[in-house]
Amino acid sequence: MIRVGVAGYAGRMGSAVVDAVTAADDMQVACGIDPFGSEQVFPTFKSIDEALANAEFDVLVDFTQPDVVAGNVEKALSAGKDCVVGTTGLSNDVLEGLAGKAAGDACLFYAPNFTTGAVLMMQFAKAAAPFFPEAEVIEFHHARKKDAPSGTAVRTAQMIAQSRGFESEAPGKETEIEGCEGARGTLVDGVPVHSVRSMGFVATQEVIFGSMGQTLTIKHDSWDRTSYMPGVLLGIRSVKERSGLIVGLEQFML
Amino acid sequence: MIRVGVAGYAGRMGSAVVDAVTAADDMQVACGIDPFGSEQVFPTFKSIDEALANAEFDVLVDFTQPDVVAGNVEKALSAGKDCVVGTTGLSNDVLEGLAGKAAGDACLFYAPNFTTGAVLMMQFAKAAAPFFPEAEVIEFHHARKKDAPSGTAVRTAQMIAQSRGFESEAPGKETEIEGCEGARGTLVDGVPVHSVRSMGFVATQEVIFGSMGQTLTIKHDSWDRTSYMPGVLLGIRSVKERSGLIVGLEQFML
Amino acid sequence: MIRVGVAGYAGRMGSAVVDAVTAADDMQVACGIDPFGSEQVFPTFKSIDEALANAEFDVLVDFTQPDVVAGNVEKALSAGKDCVVGTTGLSNDVLEGLAGKAAGDACLFYAPNFTTGAVLMMQFAKAAAPFFPEAEVIEFHHARKKDAPSGTAVRTAQMIAQSRGFESEAPGKETEIEGCEGARGTLVDGVPVHSVRSMGFVATQEVIFGSMGQTLTIKHDSWDRTSYMPGVLLGIRSVKERSGLIVGLEQFML
Amino acid sequence: MIRVGVAGYAGRMGSAVVDAVTAADDMQVACGIDPFGSEQVFPTFKSIDEALANAEFDVLVDFTQPDVVAGNVEKALSAGKDCVVGTTGLSNDVLEGLAGKAAGDACLFYAPNFTTGAVLMMQFAKAAAPFFPEAEVIEFHHARKKDAPSGTAVRTAQMIAQSRGFESEAPGKETEIEGCEGARGTLVDGVPVHSVRSMGFVATQEVIFGSMGQTLTIKHDSWDRTSYMPGVLLGIRSVKERSGLIVGLEQFML
């Protein structure tokens, strides 16, 4: 039974982690850490220091805030706890610095994206890219999304461009007819990206590869925050047999 | 048994019409007309005049050239023949002028698009538009296509805009992040249109409507010229019971 | 300003109706009716009799229970109120009987499905069916759904069969290889229907039509109960100019 | 410049290989072998013996017949030529026996499927399977296809079942309502497979994975025999640096 400490258990993501860990057969919530938390069926603490002093746990899961996460993780790693971190805003330098503080074979696992399907979509796109002369990305998001394209779409396009190492010869923006600029999307490192917006979508992305007489399409749909949880559980299960810094859920998937 | 005269029978489309008419149970090729044609199992003529003088037929199907079609149709209509015209480049004024020459209840049927599925896609888009706050068009064509967006995509967007009579409040080009202009496509009368190009496609179009918690998608794929033929046969079967000028295959479908 | 009475306002659907009516510019909640309801910003009553005696409203919206709906509607219609009914379980005979009680030009509108996109999907399928030799239905629902296929899929298949009036010549169950019975789905009036189940879906249906060299696909996705509301508002807006019995949201859409 | 011998150059696949090799910058057709072939711009021979005696080439590509392929390959391998084999009907035992005859570091490469996108679809499905509780396969083929499901669909389902090593808890055939047997498809090693047939399709397959709140879909479309050729060229380029028996295009892709 893996004993899990949940930092930020009172937050939106943290409370979903509590539910998912509780529902899993092979792990349990050993304690929660949150200065704004209320009482729970598991022991709760206001700070990482209190938790380390009073509770036993194997893995710290941190979905907190950019100004808190580094301190939590440094103390947990120093105490030999594995860490699974979903809080955004940690640079590679900071991550490497933190990993240097790990006692024993403690593992620091950081993932910018815990959605298993989205991570595989990107990795498959990277693997397919060298074999198809053309690739395009279409992303569909809710009308409340205030930037286009999405960060995931930009990263996917960059990964495709880097992986294939050639320039597509597909007709580009020069074929846009007058007054229809934008029809061919925006080019991210040479890969056309198209953004669709409607209150009818949550978060969908499609990567389309083409060559003579065939297309290969990889599509990911998500409509609920629960789609993060299988990835978090996978991280919790995987860190105990690893050590040092590991970045990206794909490290445990492929 | 409907007797069909095929003008342009030696051309790419005309010869496909000959095959389709021959394969149908309720019609036959009564004659072919083409100055560049070779002998066939049916009587062939070099001009519409010769054909009218020497052959009996009920319907003239014309897939010829912009400089020939008007003369063919005028003579056939004057002789009381129904006409099914797929040759492009006839303005509404010209069509109306030609229809005025029809003897008896001869019918002039002109369609810019004979692909049944593409015509329905556009008509359904028009019917759905008033009920969805957002609509976008994505078209996918072969890498040889030298203009973007496609004419069908532009017309579809125009039909949506006219039918709904309101402006979408979906986030627009102002949400494109710096350096990513074009992500939200090109706006055709306020409807975003996106063009995808690859040698892996022939001709596909998708119209996506969205409102709270739902999307409705209408998609048409075609990969072969034979997709025109059911529409041509539908035209041939429909003109005998109609008269005057009729434009658009949807007139016989909805 | 249309004044709306909401029967069943304390229920799941009824409270969503209250929210949607409140958010709309051209209507307001005039009263709520529910024996189990709590106090609201609008006047509330325990029964339709109380409401008719004490409140002014133009339209009654009823999302209640099969054993209550008929009584509510009969009294409202007798009092000259238009009715928009989403409660299921009313037979055609009962509906006609109720409509016979309408005073003046009161309208009884009943819809088995208020999701605008789902209704259009079915109507478009019906319209397209005569023009395509093959049609199949694929529906995708959540893993909690305990019957296959869905009622909407069955009705869609029946509508296609009735509309086209011919039998498909597509290869059928006789082409299923040994041990793979079920590959070609279940035939509903000759139309193959396939059911996919996963906790990754909410409710999606796809109708695929094919003929030579082309396919036409009509797809509807919904992931939220709010997808019903545009249809309810459309019903409320439409009944005032109609009278007698009207069944099906498509009556106000096409 | 890689010198390629093409066995079966007069056949449908062989002549496509000739075209593809000719069009590529880094290889050329050194000779053709076919007892039924006519003269070509490259030297032609009636048998592998003649070709080995009279022509210089590095790689033999064999798209011939089940009764010829083994003899061709044995002689070519014995003479130290690499072989790329697309002729079907060679068992693993036969392949291993043939590979044992290879002189020097000659490589025998055999692939049941040369379509790059189809191969990746299967490999990605295998990689994704362990991370999703549910998976289903839908394949869409032309109405002329006389068996259901397709061989590729069956193999994909088998790979998913083997890779994930657990049984799905998705609702199964026991949820099919009376008279609708087949709605949940056919189970291949526990994975539901659905087959759609229409003259509007060529060859399409979709693998759909689902978990809480998300789906991942991998789809492959092909509509032309040319879709084999990038895989054949990849095989030709890859064998020179390999030796012994290699089975499956994925060996050169992932």
Side-chain angles (χ1 to χ4, degrees), chain C residues 22-224:
Chain C
T22 303
D25 290 337
D26 56 343
M27 57 184 77
Q28 61 183 39
V29 179
C31 66
I33 302 159
D34 202 315
F36 309 109
S38 55
E39 273 196 35
Q40 302 288 333
V41 296
F42 47 82
T44 59
F45 304 98
K46 295 297 177 192
S47 71
I48 182 73
D49 297 304
E50 279 185 42
L52 287 170
N54 297 290
E56 297 281 327
F57 59 94
D58 307 300
V59 180
L60 179 75
V61 176
D62 190 294
F63 280 94
T64 59
Q65 300 293 332
D67 57 343
V68 179
V69 57
N72 285 350
V73 169
E74 180 172 348
K75 288 170 182 169
L77 285 172
S78 303
K81 313 295 187 197
D82 295 317
C83 291
V84 171
V85 178
T87 314
T88 52
L90 293 171
S91 68
N92 271 341
D93 281 357
V94 170
L95 287 167
E96 281 171 13
L98 288 171
K101 307 291 175 62
D105 60 356
C107 175
L108 169 53
F109 173 60
Y110 170 76
N113 192 337
F114 276 94
T115 306
T116 46
V119 169
L120 287 179
M121 173 182 61
M122 282 190 273
Q123 295 299 315
F124 292 164
K126 185 176 159 184
F131 303 104
F132 292 88
E134 301 106 6
E136 307 210 5
V137 177
I138 312 178
E139 51 96 345
F140 310 75
H141 279 87
H142 197 274
R144 282 190 304 264
K145 185 164 181 60
K146 289 306 179 203
D147 54 337
S150 70
T152 298
V154 170
R155 278 193 299 278
T156 306
Q158 290 168 337
M159 287 169 71
I160 289 169
Q162 191 171 4
S163 168
R164 70 185 182 188
F166 58 78
E167 285 194 31
S168 172
E169 297 179 7
K173 299 186 80 68
E174 74 284 358
T175 61
E176 294 173 347
I177 61 177
E178 202 185 323
C180 285
E181 291 72 25
R184 290 287 287 119
T186 185
L187 292 179
V188 175
D189 293 359
V191 176
V193 176
H194 312 268
S195 301
V196 179
R197 294 290 175 269
S198 162
M199 63 177 93
F201 290 110
V202 182
T204 292
Q205 182 173 304
E206 201 167 59
V207 188
I208 304 173
F209 293 99
S211 73
M212 287 199 305
Q214 67 173 320
T215 56
L216 176 67
T217 303
I218 305 166
K219 182 174 185 175
H220 182 254
D221 279 280
S222 73
W223 47 272
D224 197 302

Side-chain angles (χ1 to χ4, degrees), chain B residues 76-92:
Chain B
L77 285 172
S78 304
K81 313 294 186 198
D82 295 317
C83 290
V84 171
V85 179
T87 314
T88 52
L90 293 171
S91 68
N92 272 341

Side-chain angles (χ1 to χ4, degrees), chain A residues 125-160:
Chain A
K126 184 176 158 184
F131 304 103
F132 292 89
E134 301 105 7
E136 308 210 4
V137 178
I138 314 179
E139 51 95 347
F140 310 75
H141 279 87
H142 196 274
R144 283 189 304 263
K145 185 163 180 60
K146 290 304 179 206
D147 54 337
S150 71
T152 297
V154 169
R155 276 193 301 277
T156 305
Q158 290 168 336
M159 287 169 69
I160 290 169

Side-chain angles (χ1 to χ4, degrees), chain B residues 34-171:
Chain B
D34 202 315
F36 309 108
S38 55
E39 272 197 35
Q40 302 287 333
V41 297
F42 47 81
T44 58
F45 304 98
K46 297 294 178 193
S47 71
I48 183 72
D49 297 304
E50 278 184 43
L52 287 170
N54 296 290
E56 297 281 326
F57 58 95
D58 307 300
V59 180
L60 179 76
V61 177
D62 190 294
F63 281 94
T64 58
Q65 300 293 334
D67 57 343
V68 178
V69 56
N72 285 349
V73 168
E74 179 170 350
K75 288 169 182 170
L77 285 172
S78 304
K81 313 294 186 198
D82 295 317
C83 290
V84 171
V85 179
T87 314
T88 52
L90 293 171
S91 68
N92 272 341
D93 281 357
V94 169
L95 286 167
E96 282 172 12
L98 288 171
K101 305 292 175 62
D105 60 355
C107 175
L108 168 54
F109 172 60
Y110 170 77
N113 192 338
F114 276 95
T115 305
T116 45
V119 169
L120 287 179
M121 173 181 62
M122 283 190 273
Q123 294 299 316
F124 293 164
K126 184 176 158 183
F131 303 103
F132 292 89
E134 301 105 7
E136 308 210 5
V137 178
I138 313 178
E139 51 95 346
F140 310 75
H141 279 87
H142 197 275
R144 283 190 303 265
K145 184 163 181 61
K146 290 305 180 204
D147 55 336
S150 71
T152 297
V154 170
R155 278 193 299 278
T156 305
Q158 290 168 337
M159 287 169 70
I160 289 169
Q162 190 171 5
S163 169
R164 71 184 182 188
F166 58 78
E167 284 194 31
S168 172
E169 296 179 9

Side-chain angles (χ1 to χ4, degrees), chain A residues 204-216:
Chain A
T204 292
Q205 182 173 306
E206 201 167 59
V207 187
I208 304 173
F209 292 99
S211 73
M212 286 199 307
Q214 66 174 320
T215 56
L216 176 68

